Amino acid sequence: PHVAGVAALIIGKHGGEMAPAEVIRILRASADDLGKPGNDDFYGAGRVNAHIFFHPDYTVGPGIKPGLLTLSSMLRRQALAG
């Protein structure tokens, strides 16, 4: 149920209409990788991350592909900004 809820957030954040494959791509790109890098037997693809879609730096615009902006990259950018 958690992933379905986050999928609904993704679809809503991007205007309400998306191909299922695009939703899956964003879910995978925004998941928190746990354990060994990549998919593993214990954590699978990682932990679904709903927080990223509420972050003010998460935007969709020219040259920005949804789901490629991760929470860690946003936090790094904030730390560098001061």
Side-chain angles (χ1 to χ4, degrees), residues 3-82:
V3 176
V6 175
L9 288 172
I10 292 168
I11 294 166
K13 183 80 172 181
H14 295 95
E17 291 187 31
M18 293 181 77
E22 183 67 4
V23 176
I24 291 168
R25 187 189 70 75
I26 293 172
L27 280 168
R28 288 186 175 156
S30 62
D32 297 326
D33 194 5
L34 302 173
K36 297 177 185 175
N39 283 346
D40 58 68
D41 292 337
F42 190 76
Y43 292 105
R47 179 179 52 214
V48 67
N49 184 345
H51 180 266
I52 192 170
F53 302 104
F54 293 101
H55 197 283
D57 285 347
Y58 181 84
T59 59
V60 179
I64 300 173
K65 293 185 178 179
L68 295 181
L69 187 59
T70 64
L71 182 58
S72 61
S73 69
M74 287 187 290
L75 294 174
R76 241 188 332 259
R77 186 183 318 162
Q78 284 179 345
L80 292 173

